[in-house]
Amino acid sequence: MKTHGTIRAVVAIVALLAGGTVARTDTNPVYATRIAAVANNSFLVKADGTAWACGANNYGQIGDGTSGTNRVVAVQVSGLSGVTNISAGAVHAVALKSDGNLWAWGGNWQGQLGFGPDGNLHPIPVQVSGISDVKTIAVGYQYNFALKSDGSLWHWGDYASAPHPTPADTGIAGVSQVACGNNTKFVVKGDGTVWGWGVNY
């Protein structure tokens, strides 16, 4: 992404081009600070701290209070302001706000919204309880990681093939960065070493 944060987004597929500019069908730029894309959805955080989403909405993962109606044009995620980061899994998304708190929405089959699991759709963001002072987030298929300011790494959802519906400390300390794939997890520790675990084929 360019340092001034300009992106151009269209429908459900984010196509990153050379230099980090994203194509759009018109000439009006959207100024964004963060973008995230998964198989059927695209998300962005605008410079004003609002979150926007487009794509599939069969599980309420757009976050606009509806489900079942796909969005080919980005719509604002309901009720969120002061957003600094956003990440998404297969059927849910998580936003980090400037106060260090997290909000999640979409499907909740494995407790990936921070409670349950209740098997229900939650098309409006709900605050993830039991965790604060979050520095950054990474979301996998149906699970989440949150890196706190003290370097501790927390998780919830379908992690290690067992639902963990509420945030819990992984016991991994001294973390500076975290990233997730569908079923793989990686961290960079303060000493510069990289650690990974998950599916290995």
Side-chain angles (χ1 to χ4, degrees):
M1 181 180 292
K2 293 182 178 179
T3 54
H4 54 61
T6 300
I7 72 168
R8 294 173 172 86
V10 61
V11 295
I13 301 175
V14 172
L16 289 174
L17 304 177
T21 301
V22 182
R24 183 174 174 167
T25 55
D26 61 52
T27 58
N28 298 319
V30 175
Y31 292 92
T33 58
R34 295 281 183 177
I35 58 173
V38 290
N40 299 306
N41 292 97
S42 302
F43 299 85
L44 65 88
V45 178
K46 293 180 67 173
D48 62 4
T50 57
W52 295 70
C54 59
N57 194 34
N58 47 327
Y59 298 101
Q61 62 264 50
I62 292 294
D64 66 346
T66 70
S67 62
T69 302
N70 297 343
R71 303 296 186 184
V72 297
V73 176
V75 296
Q76 187 172 350
V77 178
S78 298
L80 291 183
S81 60
V83 178
T84 60
N85 202 354
I86 195 165
S87 190
V91 298
H92 78 291
V94 180
L96 170 63
K97 296 184 66 172
S98 57
D99 60 5
N101 290 315
L102 299 174
W103 294 71
W105 61 96
N108 193 41
W109 319 133
Q110 301 293 334
Q112 60 263 50
L113 303 190
F115 60 90
D118 60 5
N120 292 329
L121 310 182
H122 297 270
I124 295 177
V126 293
Q127 186 172 353
V128 179
S129 60
I131 189 168
S132 60
D133 197 29
V134 175
K135 177 182 177 182
T136 192
I137 52 175
V139 173
Y141 186 71
Q142 292 188 112
Y143 65 91
N144 315 282
F145 280 94
L147 174 58
K148 297 186 66 170
S149 296
D150 62 4
S152 61
L153 186 67
W154 292 60
H155 70 94
W156 65 101
D158 184 13
Y159 173 68
S161 299
H164 293 264
T166 57
D169 193 338
T170 64
I172 304 172
V175 177
S176 61
Q177 297 180 57
V178 58
C180 297
N182 272 354
N183 297 295
T184 55
K185 305 89 177 171
F186 297 92
V187 298
V188 178
K189 301 193 75 172
D191 60 5
T193 57
V194 179
W195 297 67
W197 64 103
V199 175
N200 191 35
Y201 57 81

